[in-house]
Amino acid sequence: MNTRQGALLGPAEIRDLAGRLGVRPTKTLGQNFVHDGGTVRKIVRAANLRGGERVVEIGPGLGSLTLGLLDAGASVVAVEIDPVLAAQIPLTVAAHVPGADVEVVHADAMDVTELPGDPPTALVANLPYNVAVPILLNFLERFPSLERVLVMVQAEVADRIAAKPGSKVYGIPSVKAAWYADARRSLPISRNVFWPVPNVDSALVALERRDPPPTTAHREAVFRVIDAAFAQRRKTLRAALSGLAGSGAAAEEALRAAGVDPGARGETLTVEEFARIAEHLA
Ligand code: SAM
């Protein structure tokens, strides 16, 4: 899907809008606004949306990406925590993409358990960086209708989400994301496309939902094992899971029953292996 030139916000419009609204971007809310139409078009293209697809966007901010998604024909439900920005979105949309289908939910995305309208099949967002991983995991958990995700996050976080077992950066975000989806690192994004310019690099990460690993263990139990395994990264799984199992011996027994070497470390295990351990710890 393509985006028309005039529909998007450029640097002058971003400054002007922020000035008129009295918006002073805050670090706490991860407010770095994209002011480059080329970047918005790149993200919309990478999102690979179907015509008329229902998309949820978290943190629309001043509307840079929202306009790109709408102009490409998507129907958007946008969740924004900042009341001034949330109130402005419909007005900005009406001015740039008249008649577009947008709904705004003024809320903290961490608290959102339901969304108005048709269930979204895609999540596309430039996420607030300090809460990107919990928001991503919560949305995958709470909205099973989501088939695809394309989010912009801090480059290191994108690497961590997409990392595979054995990689140095493989950790909690990688394994938990793998519970829900196949993740891959997508395009890098220059820090110069933001206002204000952040002091970290950004990148897109794409996720395709797939079934969770077949297991009798509950997701919560598997996630507890993952948390424990990585809480003490340098320790062997036998030591790291001894608290959860009740003792080192019990941890060793569960690991052996799951077919996992008790001397191994968490960073070498697949999500399927974590699920098997959880089954035997239960
Ligand atoms: N999408 C816009 C863009 O690309 O220019 C803004 C992205 S900015 C990195 C992140 C946005 O998320 C901000 O608008 C901020 O107010 C919003 N935000 C921060 N924390 C949030 C939360 N917990 N729930 C919903 N929105 C949040």
Side-chain angles (χ1 to χ4, degrees), residues 29-34 57 59-61 64 79-81 107-109 126 128:
L29 292 180
Q31 291 177 330
N32 299 95
F33 304 113
V34 174
E57 182 190 3
S64 310
V79 182
E80 174 58 60
I81 197 170
D108 181 339
N126 173 10

Side-chain angles (χ1 to χ4, degrees), residues 98-133:
D101 179 9
V102 67
E103 278 176 279
V104 180
V105 176
H106 170 217
D108 181 339
M110 295 294 286
D111 300 334
V112 170
T113 53
E114 47 188 50
L115 291 166
D118 288 340
T121 47
L123 162 59
V124 185
N126 173 10
L127 290 176
Y129 287 1
N130 44 358
V131 282
V133 172

Side-chain angles (χ1 to χ4, degrees), residues 10-279:
E13 279 160 307
I14 288 281
R15 298 302 157 80
D16 178 56
L17 196 49
R20 275 193 284 127
L21 297 172
V23 169
R24 309 247 303 273
T26 75
K27 269 204 169 145
T28 336
L29 292 180
Q31 291 177 330
N32 299 95
F33 304 113
V34 174
H35 63 191
D36 174 55
T39 302
V40 169
R41 274 189 285 276
K42 214 154 71 170
I43 300 173
V44 173
R45 258 199 313 275
N48 218 358
L49 300 172
R50 293 187 288 264
E53 185 159 10
R54 181 74 164 168
V55 177
V56 58
E57 182 190 3
I58 295 152
L62 291 167
S64 310
L65 180 57
T66 324
L67 294 178
L69 293 167
L70 291 167
D71 196 54
S75 144
V76 175
V77 54
V79 182
E80 174 58 60
I81 197 170
D82 184 316
V84 175
L85 297 176
Q88 176 62 31
I89 285 287
L91 308 177
T92 304
V93 168
H96 286 258
V97 195
D101 179 9
V102 67
E103 278 176 279
V104 180
V105 176
H106 170 217
D108 181 339
M110 295 294 286
D111 300 334
V112 170
T113 53
E114 47 188 50
L115 291 166
D118 288 340
T121 47
L123 162 59
V124 185
N126 173 10
L127 290 176
Y129 287 1
N130 44 358
V131 282
V133 172
I135 287 182
L136 170 68
L137 295 173
N138 278 341
F139 268 66
L140 283 166
E141 174 62 26
R142 292 174 187 167
F143 299 99
S145 61
L146 289 174
E147 294 164 15
R148 283 163 305 119
V149 173
L150 182 73
V151 284
M152 196 199 302
V153 294
Q154 192 178 329
E156 284 162 20
V157 174
D159 288 338
R160 255 183 263 150
I161 293 170
K164 303 297 172 237
S167 146
K168 260 201 196 129
V169 293
Y170 186 70
I172 293 174
S174 340
V175 198
K176 290 187 178 175
W179 174 267
Y180 301 101
D182 288 317
R184 75 181 162 79
R185 170 84 139 74
S186 180
L187 305 167
I189 303 286
S190 158
R191 55 180 84 182
N192 297 324
V193 304
F194 297 99
W195 174 74
V197 178
N199 49 15
V200 293
D201 290 319
S202 301
L204 295 173
V205 59
L207 297 99
E208 289 261 351
R209 190 185 287 271
R210 58 170 167 73
D211 289 336
T215 176
T216 52
H218 289 299
R219 181 192 61 80
E220 289 87 344
V222 180
F223 279 21
R224 272 196 296 277
V225 176
I226 297 167
D227 287 333
F230 287 99
Q232 309 180 56
R233 244 187 130 83
R234 286 163 175 275
K235 293 201 175 171
T236 63
L237 285 166
R238 183 189 192 279
L241 300 183
S242 61
L244 206 55
S247 70
E252 176 155 353
E253 194 179 321
L255 286 159
R256 289 204 188 283
V260 174
D261 174 5
R265 290 182 170 72
E267 54 260 42
T268 62
L269 263 53
T270 62
V271 68
E272 288 79 9
E273 288 172 309
F274 278 109
R276 280 214 304 278
I277 298 170
E279 283 174 24

